[in-house]
Amino acid sequence: MNILRFANLIVIFSLIGLASTYSQEEVIIYLNDDTNKEDIEYVNRNLENKAEFIGGEIELLKFYKSTSKFEVSDFKKHETSVAFLLYVDEKGKIYKHRILNSFKPEYSREVERIIELMPNWTPATLEGEPVKAVIFEHISFD
């Protein structure tokens, strides 16, 4: 295993272990073979305002529960969580995502389906201007 992949695993598992339930982490460092220049460009910014689901975390949880075909847990993080990154553009549109870990393929597919149905978010801002942001999220299933 090369050093970059090892660093990638350490950072991702640290974020998964330390991030609070349904919180967003705007500063994510990940290094691997498919990290591209566009990602690096906005991943490590100090944002004034983070991208936010309209209505906040409670509304996001309601969206997950009402949209999912599986039962979603309230504010728990455990072995049945699917962790993922959301890429939010300057207009609040989710334009890309990346599943970081999943315990079963059908749950990864369900998260991808939910992401496709997700409405626009309030975009992140930097120096008063909307900017792209990468958000760490997870959904825990019962």
Coordinates of all heavy atoms in Angstrom, one line a residue, residues 10 13 19 21 32 39 46 73-74 80 87 107 111-112:
I10 N -6.4 6.8 6.7 CA -6.4 7.4 8.0 C -7.3 8.6 8.1 O -8.0 8.7 9.1 CB -4.9 7.8 8.4 CG1 -4.1 6.5 8.6 CG2 -4.9 8.6 9.6 CD1 -2.6 6.8 8.8
F13 N -11.1 7.5 7.8 CA -11.6 6.8 9.0 C -11.6 7.7 10.2 O -12.5 7.6 11.1 CB -10.8 5.5 9.3 CG -11.1 4.4 8.4 CD1 -10.1 3.9 7.6 CD2 -12.4 3.9 8.3 CE1 -10.4 2.9 6.7 CE2 -12.7 2.9 7.4 CZ -11.7 2.4 6.6
A19 N -16.7 12.7 13.3 CA -17.8 13.5 12.9 C -19.1 13.2 13.6 O -19.4 12.1 13.9 CB -18.1 13.4 11.4
T21 N -23.1 13.0 14.4 CA -24.2 12.5 13.5 C -24.9 13.6 12.8 O -25.2 14.6 13.3 CB -25.2 11.7 14.4 OG1 -24.5 10.7 15.1 CG2 -26.3 11.1 13.6
N32 N -5.9 10.2 -3.0 CA -5.9 8.9 -3.6 C -5.8 9.2 -5.1 O -5.7 10.3 -5.6 CB -7.2 8.1 -3.3 CG -8.5 8.8 -3.7 OD1 -8.5 9.5 -4.7 ND2 -9.5 8.5 -3.0
D39 N -11.3 19.1 -7.2 CA -11.6 18.7 -5.8 C -10.7 19.5 -4.9 O -11.1 20.1 -3.9 CB -11.5 17.2 -5.6 CG -12.5 16.4 -6.3 OD1 -13.6 17.0 -6.8 OD2 -12.3 15.2 -6.4
N46 N -11.5 27.8 4.3 CA -12.1 28.2 5.5 C -13.4 29.0 5.2 O -13.3 30.2 4.8 CB -11.2 29.1 6.4 CG -10.0 28.3 6.9 OD1 -10.2 27.2 7.3 ND2 -8.8 28.9 6.9
S73 N -32.2 5.6 11.0 CA -32.0 5.8 12.5 C -32.0 7.3 12.8 O -31.5 8.1 12.0 CB -30.8 5.2 13.0 OG -30.8 3.8 12.8
D74 N -32.5 7.7 14.0 CA -32.3 9.1 14.5 C -31.0 9.3 15.1 O -30.6 8.6 16.1 CB -33.4 9.3 15.6 CG -34.8 9.6 15.0 OD1 -34.9 9.8 13.8 OD2 -35.7 9.5 15.8
T80 N -24.2 0.2 10.6 CA -25.1 0.3 9.5 C -25.2 1.7 8.9 O -26.2 2.0 8.2 CB -26.5 -0.2 9.9 OG1 -27.0 0.6 10.9 CG2 -26.5 -1.7 10.4
Y87 N -20.9 17.0 -3.2 CA -20.3 18.1 -3.8 C -21.4 19.1 -4.2 O -22.2 18.8 -5.0 CB -19.5 17.7 -5.1 CG -18.3 16.8 -4.8 CD1 -18.5 15.5 -4.4 CD2 -17.0 17.3 -4.8 CE1 -17.4 14.6 -4.1 CE2 -16.0 16.5 -4.6 CZ -16.2 15.1 -4.2 OH -15.1 14.3 -3.9
Y107 N -27.6 -0.7 0.3 CA -27.7 0.5 1.1 C -26.9 1.6 0.4 O -27.3 2.8 0.4 CB -27.2 0.3 2.5 CG -28.2 -0.4 3.3 CD1 -28.0 -1.8 3.5 CD2 -29.3 0.2 3.8 CE1 -29.0 -2.5 4.3 CE2 -30.3 -0.5 4.6 CZ -30.1 -1.9 4.8 OH -31.0 -2.6 5.5
V111 N -28.6 5.1 -0.9 CA -28.1 6.5 -0.6 C -27.9 7.2 -2.0 O -28.3 8.4 -2.1 CB -26.7 6.4 0.1 CG1 -26.0 7.7 0.1 CG2 -27.0 5.9 1.6
E112 N -27.4 6.5 -3.0 CA -27.3 7.2 -4.3 C -28.7 7.6 -4.9 O -28.8 8.7 -5.4 CB -26.6 6.3 -5.3 CG -25.1 6.1 -4.9 CD -24.3 5.2 -5.8 OE1 -25.0 4.4 -6.5 OE2 -23.1 5.3 -5.8

